[in-house]
Amino acid sequence: QVQLVESGGGLVQAGGSLRLSCAASGIIFSVNAMGWYRQAPGQQRELVAGFISGGSTNYTDSVKGRFTISRDNTKNTVYLQMDRLKPEDTAVYYCNVNVHTTPWSTRAYWGQGTQVTVSS
């Protein structure tokens, strides 16, 4: 069993910053990919930032230059540093980790979600 625990959401004014954390625990043989998604009311869930195979990073255009994804392998934790926040960034943010639970089996896990609200 793998669990993801998110933290760091909150209410900030436009132009402010937040740092989201997602800590993974459980039986993890290796990590294939990890990332952050968000979903605003009435909208589809979208990928915000992620690590993909080979260690490359990917960001949606609307957050490039403002958000930074990072990780601490010793803590099994992935972070999302969000700077110069805009009201359009308001959403529930979810972390996602795709792992090998055995050398031959993979599965994706989701965090519980954390609310980010940016006031104008």
Side-chain angles (χ1 to χ4, degrees):
Q1 180 67 36
V2 175
Q3 292 182 322
L4 306 180
V5 179
E6 298 183 36
S7 62
L11 172 64
V12 298
Q13 294 183 349
S17 298
L18 286 173
R19 184 178 177 87
L20 306 183
S21 299
C22 177
S25 63
I27 302 173
I28 302 174
F29 185 79
S30 63
V31 176
N32 288 328
M34 62 186 77
W36 290 93
Y37 294 72
R38 68 185 180 188
Q39 187 167 23
Q43 300 184 14
Q44 298 183 76
R45 187 172 298 185
E46 66 171 341
L47 175 67
V48 178
F51 288 104
I52 60 177
S53 297
S56 299
T57 57
N58 185 50
Y59 297 90
T60 190
D61 286 343
S62 64
V63 308
K64 287 181 178 178
R66 300 189 298 117
F67 291 10
T68 304
I69 187 171
S70 62
R71 59 189 174 189
D72 184 340
N73 292 330
T74 65
K75 297 181 178 180
N76 294 317
T77 300
V78 60
Y79 305 93
L80 185 67
Q81 178 67 42
M82 304 184 294
D83 297 319
R84 302 189 300 280
L85 283 160
K86 303 176 180 179
E88 306 93 270
D89 297 318
T90 295
V92 177
Y93 284 70
Y94 301 88
C95 67
N96 177 272
V97 180
N98 185 277
V99 303
H100 276 105
T101 54
T102 71
W104 59 88
S105 179
T106 62
R107 184 174 178 178
Y109 293 87
W110 291 93
Q112 81 278 10
T114 184
Q115 178 71 48
V116 172
T117 302
V118 184
S119 62
S120 60

